[in-house]
Amino acid sequence: QVQLVESGGGLVQAGGSLRLSCAASGRTFSTYTMGWFRQALGKERELVAATAWNGGSTFYADSVKGRFTISRDNAKNTVYLQMNSLNADDTAVYYCAAAWHTSTLNRAYAYDYWGQGTQVTVSS
């Protein structure tokens, strides 16, 4: 069982930056592929970024490439999402998710555990 707790969301002006953090419980964090999803009001949940458990690959949605960076610190059981050049379209609830020992990064069904989410609001 893995518990995920997101933090770092908030209100930011367009063009600004935020860093989201997701702290995971358990001793096997390094065996989990980690992803950040988001869901805007009235829209489906979408994958924003993901990093493979073995560090072999990362995934970014086209809409965030060049602006967002996902990273992980296995010693701290934490995954981060650095978000720069934010715009109103980035407004959403952001969720952290974990998938055990998989190379499937970009499918929501691969993820076994989910956090409660953190709200990011970008004012224009």
Side-chain angles (χ1 to χ4, degrees):
Q1 188 78 10
V2 175
Q3 292 184 330
L4 304 172
V5 179
E6 303 98 335
S7 61
L11 175 64
V12 63
Q13 288 187 335
S17 299
L18 282 176
R19 189 176 81 154
L20 304 183
S21 299
C22 172
S25 64
R27 301 179 181 178
T28 59
F29 178 75
S30 62
T31 64
Y32 283 84
T33 286
M34 300 299 297
W36 284 98
F37 290 75
R38 68 185 180 187
Q39 187 166 21
L41 195 62
K43 295 186 178 180
E44 294 186 354
R45 188 174 297 189
E46 63 170 346
L47 177 63
V48 174
T51 178
W53 66 275
N54 59 0
S57 59
T58 56
F59 170 89
Y60 292 98
D62 287 343
S63 59
V64 306
K65 282 181 180 176
R67 301 189 298 122
F68 290 13
T69 303
I70 188 170
S71 62
R72 64 190 299 161
D73 186 338
N74 288 340
K76 295 183 178 180
N77 281 15
T78 302
V79 62
Y80 304 97
L81 185 67
Q82 178 67 44
M83 306 186 295
N84 299 327
S85 301
L86 287 161
N87 59 61
D89 289 339
D90 297 316
T91 295
V93 178
Y94 284 71
Y95 298 90
C96 174
W100 185 76
H101 218 268
T102 180
S103 58
T104 302
L105 274 65
N106 60 347
R107 295 291 184 268
Y109 64 72
Y111 291 84
D112 307 298
Y113 303 100
W114 295 81
Q116 292 300 306
T118 186
Q119 176 71 46
V120 172
T121 303
V122 183
S123 62
S124 56

